[in-house]
Amino acid sequence: MKKFHYRLILSFYIVSLIAILAMGSAIIYNLKIGAENETLINTTAVITFITAIVLSIVSIIIAIISYKKSIIPMAKMLDSSSYDSDNKFDISKNDKDDLSELATELHNKLIEANRRINQTETILQHMTDGVISFDMDGNVTYINPEAKDLLELKDTDNTFNKIFDKYRDVDNMEKIIYLEDWTSSEKKVTNNRGSMDLFFVAFKDEINRPTGLMVVVQDITEHVKLDNMRKEFVADVSHELKTPLTSIEGFSETLLDGVDDKETQEHFLHIINDNAIRMQKLVQDLLTLSKYDSKRNMGPKTKFDLGELSKSCAEKFEIEVKKKGQHLQCITTADVPPVYADKDGIERVIINIISNSVKYTQDGGTIDVYVGYVHDDAYVKIKDNGIGIPKADLQRIYERFYRVDKARSRQLGGTGLGLSIAKEIIEQNDGSINISSETGSSKHGTEVIVKIPVAKE
Ligand code: ADP
């Protein structure tokens, strides 16, 4: 900067000098060409000389004034700034410090902003919910992989209409955004993947004008399934309780109306009693199920001999088996180490499985109970040559109230809860239960294997 105002002053001096030289040249020229009129020459020379002097002085004054009026303030304004030898803008040390501090701050802010963008991107990429954002024209501006998966989208599905047109319940984008007082809305839709919950949220600017739309997609398939199961369960319980209650009500009313025949009276009373027992068994099973469901009051785990327990369970069926002319035996096939589990729970499971075998095996059939040990697990295998379970029903056998033949099960005193309770108990004891079955063929029958971990040393 300093060099600049030196140059300015210098240029004024040069201009003054050129003016003096010009005037001098004019005098010499006049001297040469006009020798005849000496007075005129002298007068011209004097005037030219004075003009040159005056011009020089004026130039110097202008230079000084301009230096004071503009160069000094400019220099002051730019203070310590100047141009370096390469004519590049040079910055003082203080400014340099300030600027580098500013640059560092900016750099750090950029790194922080980038870090946040990456973080958000990672979260969105790995979220279990789908996220899609749209601009005001309905074009997709962001979509995460989960959204593509949940809504079964192709790369060409890149607008709001292409994505949501197939769902009749979803309004068009303008309607969603411009709905009065609208901030967010929710819609439930179903596709081949299952049930989805869609949340629509508008992006707004500082004056509350919509600038786009975000859609969050949540997979609620499991939730819907559980909800349906709960509804079905309530309906099943009501139904199971209603049937014996209706029977009790009907027969007791008939008795109250007066039945003279003693035999009929006794028969009706037996029916009432059977139904009351059935209801009690059902309520008892429901309570057991709820106990294991909520993991409340699960019996304490202890070390016990699975062979001995299985034997005592089998003995409980002696009278029933004898009545049906069945053959029931319990064999321990290997040296089985003690298991570590909830003994009462396991006893309940073994009794239920043997009871099913006795119930669903024809008179004269056989039921074998084997206890053994394989790969750190003790097992009990209950095998019968009964009616078997059809393949289609096998996968639903652990569902609450599921029975292959409802009437038959009821008649035999079943509630349809036995195997679901068994599965719950075995899983809570870190074991497993597997059922295989054959129907129709000569090899018909059912085999249930329950594995329980042995106690660690
Ligand atoms: P239930 O109280 O009706 O016996 P479970 O849950 O114990 O209920 O069993 C469910 C259904 O599985 C039964 O209703 C029956 O149809 C079938 N089932 C279970 N065990 C056997 C078996 N050993 N042989 C044939 N069917 C069986």
Side-chain angles (χ1 to χ4, degrees), residues 245-377:
L245 260 179
T246 315
S247 184
I248 290 171
E249 194 187 13
F251 285 104
S252 57
E253 266 175 15
T254 318
L255 281 175
L256 284 171
D257 284 346
V259 176
D260 298 334
D261 180 22
K262 188 120 176 90
E263 216 174 289
T264 316
Q265 268 182 16
E266 236 172 65
H267 177 61
F268 284 2
L269 282 171
H270 272 299
I271 294 174
I272 292 171
N273 190 43
D274 285 351
N275 279 298
I277 291 171
R278 203 174 125 198
M279 277 176 68
Q280 200 198 10
K281 188 169 184 314
L282 186 72
V283 171
Q284 196 55 49
D285 276 359
L286 285 169
L287 286 173
T288 310
L289 200 60
S290 107
K291 178 175 122 181
Y292 282 97
D293 261 354
S294 57
K295 298 193 170 104
R296 263 186 298 120
N297 308 324
M298 191 182 115
K301 285 189 178 180
T302 50
K303 253 181 169 185
F304 62 91
D305 187 322
L306 189 65
E308 265 175 35
L309 182 75
S310 304
K311 216 171 183 162
S312 82
C313 289
E315 279 164 6
K316 290 190 178 16
F317 291 90
E318 243 173 43
I319 300 168
E320 218 175 323
V321 162
K322 221 177 189 172
K323 255 201 238 167
K324 289 184 85 176
Q326 292 169 331
H327 180 70
L328 168 66
Q329 60 170 349
C330 180
I331 306 159
T332 301
T333 57
D335 209 2
V336 184
V339 294
Y340 184 67
D342 160 22
K343 194 176 174 188
D344 290 347
I346 302 299
E347 183 179 21
R348 196 190 163 94
V349 172
I350 298 171
I351 288 177
N352 177 260
I353 297 167
I354 299 178
S355 145
N356 278 348
S357 284
V358 173
K359 271 194 291 187
Y360 302 108
T361 299
Q362 65 287 352
D363 290 0
T366 55
I367 299 135
D368 294 319
V369 181
Y370 301 102
V371 183
Y373 173 61
V374 62
H375 300 308
D376 283 350
D377 284 325

Side-chain angles (χ1 to χ4, degrees), residues 356 359-360 384 389 397 402-404 409 414-416 418-419 446:
N356 278 348
K359 271 194 291 187
Y360 302 108
D384 65 54
I389 304 165
I397 216 75
Y402 191 81
R403 287 169 285 194
V404 178
S409 158
T415 58
L419 287 178
T446 303

